Amino acid sequence: EHYASSTWCLDELTEILKCKERYGREVIPVFYKVDPSNVRHQRQSYSDDFVKHQLRFGSKVDAWKAALTQVAGLSGWDSQ
């Protein structure tokens, strides 16, 4: 639920997606106790976390949002 609160996790996600593009790696997201559409559209806790990050990290937030949108569009597992 609070994945976006961790800047470390968001940085790792952007690196994972770079490897996907660069090396053709498969990425299988696992949406544990979160609706993938909330991840895709950064709603609920994701929205709150990005408001906090915007003040501190500025333009980096746009890359994190784009990475979450991209990964939420991939086929994966949903615990719901």
Side-chain angles (χ1 to χ4, degrees), residues 67-79:
L68 284 170
T69 299
Q70 182 180 350
V71 80
L74 300 174
S75 293
W77 291 307
D78 180 357
S79 70

Side-chain angles (χ1 to χ4, degrees), residues 7-65:
T7 58
W8 185 88
C9 288
L10 294 167
D11 283 337
E12 286 294 305
L13 178 62
T14 57
E15 289 302 313
I16 288 166
L17 292 174
K18 284 179 189 176
C19 288
K20 177 186 183 313
E21 293 296 317
R22 190 176 304 141
Y23 305 112
R25 301 286 188 217
E26 288 294 318
V27 174
I28 303 170
V30 177
F31 300 99
Y32 184 72
K33 294 185 178 180
V34 66
D35 185 333
S37 73
N38 288 337
V39 176
R40 182 178 301 110
H41 301 290
Q42 288 93 50
R43 293 188 290 232
Q44 295 183 351
S45 66
Y46 289 82
S47 174
D48 298 339
D49 291 332
F50 280 126
V51 167
K52 294 173 189 171
H53 292 327
Q54 188 69 49
L55 298 171
R56 187 166 178 209
F57 296 101
S59 64
K60 200 170 190 181
V61 171
D62 292 333
W64 291 335
K65 287 181 176 183

